[in-house]
Amino acid sequence: MAAAAVIGSLVTGCAAGSLASPSAASASNAWDAATGTIGLGEPSEQVLELWFDPLCPWCAKFDAENGSAIADLVERGEVSLVLHPLTFLDRESKGSKYSTRASTVLIETARVAPDAVLAVLAELYERQPEEATTGLDDAELTAIAARHDVDVREALRQRDHDELLAEVTTDAFAGSHAITGTPSARLNGDTLDPGDGFLEDLRARLAG
């Protein structure tokens, strides 16, 4: 992977340093509103964290190359997965706040059908719109979730998590996590290169 979506100085203001550390979510609700994260898999000593924006093309590339393998590791209980949905690319959707709306779909899926989260995320990437467009509308996002038996209509109407998503996005870049772009990956707090050697590095660390 030659590049990543980098926010640089585009996030300003105070970091949300009061955000708690991610914790294991219940089997019936993978959304952790205290941290703005989605936790998948059984509790494990090995915790893989991924930061992404649904509109980030490099995140889509990362998922296409690694998503199935990561899902398999979670399914086998080799890692717990913590997803950090970010929304800094809202600025690239002509006022439609596509990243926030797509993240809302993921949050609602995590709340009611955690086992469908990775499949919904993969389909969001498969249908990923171009930057500098309004992106998929709410009806199209609703249809994606519905294919996985999740009803997100009310969640998209209410948009209860917009402020939290903005806060965790700022915190990701300027606060406790201090990532520099998306996708970003860490295993037990140690940074992994999300490029071509990601899976080999991840597996070596898990085996070590």
Side-chain angles (χ1 to χ4, degrees), residues 31-64:
W31 167 243
D32 187 341
T35 62
T37 59
I38 296 169
L40 301 174
E42 296 298 322
S44 171
E45 293 182 357
Q46 306 285 359
V47 179
L48 177 64
E49 295 184 77
L50 298 176
W51 287 260
F52 64 94
D53 187 305
L55 192 56
C56 165
W58 296 104
C59 299
K61 183 177 187 294
F62 176 87
D63 191 74

Side-chain angles (χ1 to χ4, degrees), residues 90 92-101 133-136 138 159:
D90 272 346
E92 296 292 342
S93 57
K94 292 191 171 181
S96 81
K97 299 191 75 172
Y98 177 77
S99 297
T100 292
R101 293 185 296 112
T133 70
T134 56
L136 305 179
D138 284 359
R159 298 267 295 277

Side-chain angles (χ1 to χ4, degrees), residues 48-174:
L48 177 64
E49 295 184 77
L50 298 176
W51 287 260
F52 64 94
D53 187 305
L55 192 56
C56 165
W58 296 104
C59 299
K61 183 177 187 294
F62 176 87
D63 191 74
E65 295 173 347
N66 305 296
S68 294
I70 291 171
D72 188 51
L73 290 170
V74 173
E75 179 69 23
R76 297 204 308 263
E78 294 188 35
V79 297
S80 294
L81 180 62
V82 177
L83 300 176
H84 298 257
L86 306 180
T87 61
F88 66 96
L89 288 175
D90 272 346
R91 68 177 189 266
E92 296 292 342
S93 57
K94 292 191 171 181
S96 81
K97 299 191 75 172
Y98 177 77
S99 297
T100 292
R101 293 185 296 112
S103 294
T104 296
V105 170
L106 288 174
I107 291 168
E108 185 62 14
T109 303
R111 282 194 342 101
V112 302
D115 288 345
V117 167
L118 294 181
V120 170
L121 179 58
E123 188 165 350
L124 286 171
Y125 282 140
E126 289 168 6
R127 298 279 312 279
Q128 188 181 69
E130 296 285 336
E131 293 182 7
T133 70
T134 56
L136 305 179
D137 62 25
D138 284 359
E140 291 171 303
L141 290 172
T142 296
I144 288 174
R147 281 192 284 275
H148 301 275
D149 299 319
V150 179
D151 185 347
V152 298
R153 290 173 294 180
E154 188 64 21
L156 285 170
R157 279 194 292 265
Q158 295 292 333
R159 298 267 295 277
D160 291 333
H161 308 295
D162 284 22
E163 290 186 9
L164 177 59
L165 285 166
E167 182 182 359
V168 297
T169 296
T170 299
D171 186 67
F173 289 97

Side-chain angles (χ1 to χ4, degrees), residues 1 48-50 62-63 65-67 69-71 73 79 81 183-187 190-206:
M1 189 176 302
L48 177 64
E49 295 184 77
L50 298 176
F62 176 87
D63 191 74
E65 295 173 347
N66 305 296
I70 291 171
L73 290 170
V79 297
L81 180 62
S184 284
R186 291 177 186 170
L187 181 67
D190 294 329
T191 298
L192 300 172
D193 186 336
D196 293 337
F198 169 80
L199 277 179
E200 291 79 3
D201 186 17
L202 175 61
R203 286 173 172 145
R205 296 189 190 213
L206 291 174

